[in-house]
Amino acid sequence: MARIVLLGAPGAGKGTQAALLKEKYALPHISTGDIFRANIREGTPLGIKVKAIIDRGELVPDELTVALVKDRLAQPDCKKGYILDGFPRTIAQAEALEGFSAPELAIDIDVDHEAVVRRIAGRRMCKCGETYHTSTHASAECAKCGAKLYQRDDDKEDVVRERLRVYEAQTKPLIDFYASRGVLHTVDGNGGVESTFALVSEVIDGHNKVR
Ligand code: AP5
Ligand code: MG
């Protein structure tokens, strides 16, 4: 199918779109943020190493993150393609990825600054992996499994500000990086979840038709 990278600011909707794409295209969804959070929850050596970094809104070192993704992409389920969410997010990571699995599509979900702040402020998570927003899901419990929803530790206002600063400085340059490789597609992510999904699907369907 396709090797897909989702780009976009914190709160742009990468995780939300990736969950829908995973169902539609039967591709594995690989979110480095989710992998780190699962390790933090389970108290693994990796989780212990990265917790303070993530709580400050900074980036986990490139070597560690690249090694983790390289291992994951070597699994058999990634042979037919994958959806990478939250990786790469530095030029060094993008260059490393070119060396072991060059993406065919880099889809940038472009969302206005005020919208990302609003989206992150209202985001609620479930331990089963579901993500909600208080504006569309008023209940404090997960609609899928009934567990109590919680807010991510790095979704506090000052940490969000730092994550947005890190995005501008270190991750935004990836837009030019992938444009120069001819694989960049930008979609307007300011609409609702469904309309953004239609735009992202159009890019993938267009790619699959010509390959
Ligand atoms: P990560 O988990 O990747 O966080 P992020 O990039 O900041 O992105 P978010 O998960 O906050 O946003 P999202 O785009 O997934 O939005 P979502 O779909 O949830 O990384 C966390 C940390 O881990 C990093 O800060 C770093 O420390 C570390 N890390 C991870 N990867 C790393 C790497 N490669 N290198 C180094 N360090 C790394 O949507 C947000 C909200 O909006 C939700 O409530 C959702 O319901 C709602 N929503 C979504 N779409 C819409 C829509 N279209 N309309 C209205 N509401 C919407
Ligand atoms: Mg996410």
Side-chain angles (χ1 to χ4, degrees), residues 11 13-16 29 31 33-34 37 85-86 123 125 131 152:
K14 302 180 295 295
T16 301
H29 166 203
S31 157
D34 286 351
R37 280 186 291 278
D85 153 18
R123 173 165 53 195
M125 316 281 293
T131 301
R152 265 168 54 174

Side-chain angles (χ1 to χ4, degrees), residues 8-205:
K14 302 180 295 295
T16 301
Q17 293 302 321
L20 296 170
L21 295 171
K22 175 185 170 177
E23 293 305 318
K24 178 166 181 178
Y25 297 99
L27 291 171
H29 166 203
I30 300 162
S31 157
T32 39
D34 286 351
I35 295 172
F36 290 138
R37 280 186 291 278
N39 276 275
I40 291 171
R41 245 189 341 265
E42 287 156 21
T44 68
L46 174 66
I48 291 164
K49 206 182 279 180
V50 301
K51 183 177 185 333
I53 300 173
I54 291 180
D55 284 353
R56 286 197 299 270
E58 294 167 7
L59 295 183
V60 173
D62 287 335
E63 308 76 55
L64 210 166
T65 312
V66 167
L68 183 96
V69 172
K70 193 174 180 186
D71 266 12
R72 181 64 188 86
L73 296 190
Q75 301 295 312
D77 64 332
C78 295
K79 275 215 173 70
K80 58 184 193 301
Y82 49 76
I83 304 150
L84 271 177
D85 153 18
F87 181 95
R89 59 209 289 157
T90 63
I91 293 286
Q93 291 180 11
E95 280 171 347
L97 180 63
E98 292 293 312
F100 56 86
S101 184
E104 296 162 89
L105 289 174
I107 305 175
D108 179 37
I109 304 174
D110 188 32
V111 176
D112 296 340
H113 187 93
E114 313 83 74
V116 301
V117 172
R118 206 166 45 239
R119 287 183 189 180
I120 291 180
R123 173 165 53 195
R124 297 294 180 270
M125 316 281 293
C126 180
K127 61 175 193 251
C128 78
E130 280 300 303
T131 301
Y132 298 95
H133 195 274
T134 48
S135 62
T136 48
H137 183 85
S139 163
E141 278 142 30
C142 178
K144 280 218 172 134
C145 74
K148 198 169 170 306
L149 301 180
Y150 66 93
Q151 203 167 5
R152 265 168 54 174
D153 283 343
D154 62 347
D155 279 354
K156 291 187 206 95
E157 203 189 317
D158 54 332
V159 183
V160 170
R161 223 173 296 124
E162 175 62 9
R163 283 164 54 205
L164 289 168
R165 195 192 64 72
V166 169
Y167 168 77
E168 291 290 330
Q170 305 207 48
T171 308
K172 220 173 174 183
L174 295 184
I175 294 176
D176 285 344
F177 179 93
Y178 285 117
S180 72
R181 275 161 183 72
V183 298
L184 180 76
H185 296 261
T186 301
V187 301
D188 181 1
N190 288 295
V193 172
E194 291 306 324
S195 67
T196 305
F197 184 51
L199 295 173
V200 175
S201 297
E202 217 173 89
V203 172
I204 299 173
D205 293 341

